[in-house]
Amino acid sequence: MNKITIVRPEESQPARAIWYDRKKYVTINFIVHKPKDVQVDIQPDKMILYCKNDTDDVFYNVLPFYENIQINDSRERVYDRSIHILLRKLKPDYSWPHLQKDEARPSWISVDFDNWRDWENELEDGKEEFDMYADMIKEMSTKNKGEAPDMDDLDSD
């Protein structure tokens, strides 16, 4: 496999990134308007992104990951307004509290709260809700419901 080498340009700026965590994947969206000359180097412990936008501004990001990832099952896709990165976690079902190893978050990284989900307790929460519902139904069916209502007003005279 030919490994691309991305050299840091002298004049560049980081692309803004928003990310969210799921059970098996971490998703990162780099916000670049009409990206071109896109180069992405995904390594087990970090990734490097280089691209230009429609006005030839140069973007360069180096992102050391919180945990290692599987590079053979990680992908990138270029859209009109973003570069979408999907990283397969090496340890599935393990929550990433932050995207980078370093807890100090750079200003260009933010959390995508619209897509974020607290998946760690998903199964237990659903089971607890189901158990509460089942108990309620059981209680309703076994409780003394009282006397039948008087329906004298329904008699036809």
Side-chain angles (χ1 to χ4, degrees), residues 144-150:
N144 184 359
K145 296 180 184 147
E147 294 181 23
D150 184 19

Side-chain angles (χ1 to χ4, degrees), residues 18-146:
I18 56 175
W19 77 285
Y20 59 93
D21 181 39
R22 289 290 161 81
K23 284 186 176 193
K24 295 181 182 176
Y25 292 94
V26 169
T27 303
I28 310 168
N29 287 310
F30 289 95
I31 311 302
V32 179
H33 186 69
K34 295 185 180 175
K36 61 183 181 180
D37 303 332
V38 176
Q39 297 177 26
V40 178
D41 181 14
I42 299 175
Q43 300 171 17
D45 61 339
K46 70 178 180 181
M47 71 164 284
I48 301 170
L49 169 78
Y50 167 88
C51 69
K52 294 180 182 178
N53 65 5
D54 57 343
T55 59
D56 287 332
D57 295 325
V58 177
F59 295 94
Y60 180 85
N61 295 68
V62 176
L63 185 58
F65 302 132
Y66 177 74
E67 289 283 332
N68 284 353
I69 54 122
Q70 295 179 11
I71 60 171
N72 295 329
D73 201 13
S74 297
R75 304 277 182 265
E76 74 273 352
R77 185 152 186 200
V78 179
Y79 294 97
D80 285 344
R81 296 179 184 210
S82 66
I83 301 159
H84 185 83
I85 311 289
L86 187 66
L87 305 170
R88 175 86 179 218
K89 293 179 179 180
L90 200 56
K91 295 187 228 175
D93 299 332
Y94 177 74
S95 176
W96 286 20
H98 39 87
L99 183 58
Q100 296 193 125
K101 270 189 188 211
D102 187 7
E103 288 187 35
R105 183 180 56 87
S107 62
W108 52 270
I109 296 177
S110 58
V111 175
D112 185 355
F113 288 108
D114 291 338
N115 287 306
W116 191 275
R117 236 184 0 202
D118 185 17
W119 53 263
E120 286 182 291
N121 300 318
E122 248 178 20
L123 290 177
E124 292 94 24
D125 289 348
K127 184 179 181 333
E128 182 180 325
E129 188 175 315
F130 175 78
D131 290 343
M132 285 174 40
Y133 177 74
D135 290 343
M136 181 181 72
I137 296 296
K138 185 177 178 183
E139 182 181 325
M140 288 172 58
S141 65
T142 59
K143 249 188 178 178
N144 184 359
K145 296 180 184 147

Side-chain angles (χ1 to χ4, degrees), residues 1-13:
M1 184 165 136
N2 291 336
K3 193 74 169 164
I4 59 171
T5 303
I6 302 173
V7 179
R8 181 181 201 112
E10 284 192 33
E11 289 193 29
S12 65
Q13 60 186 338

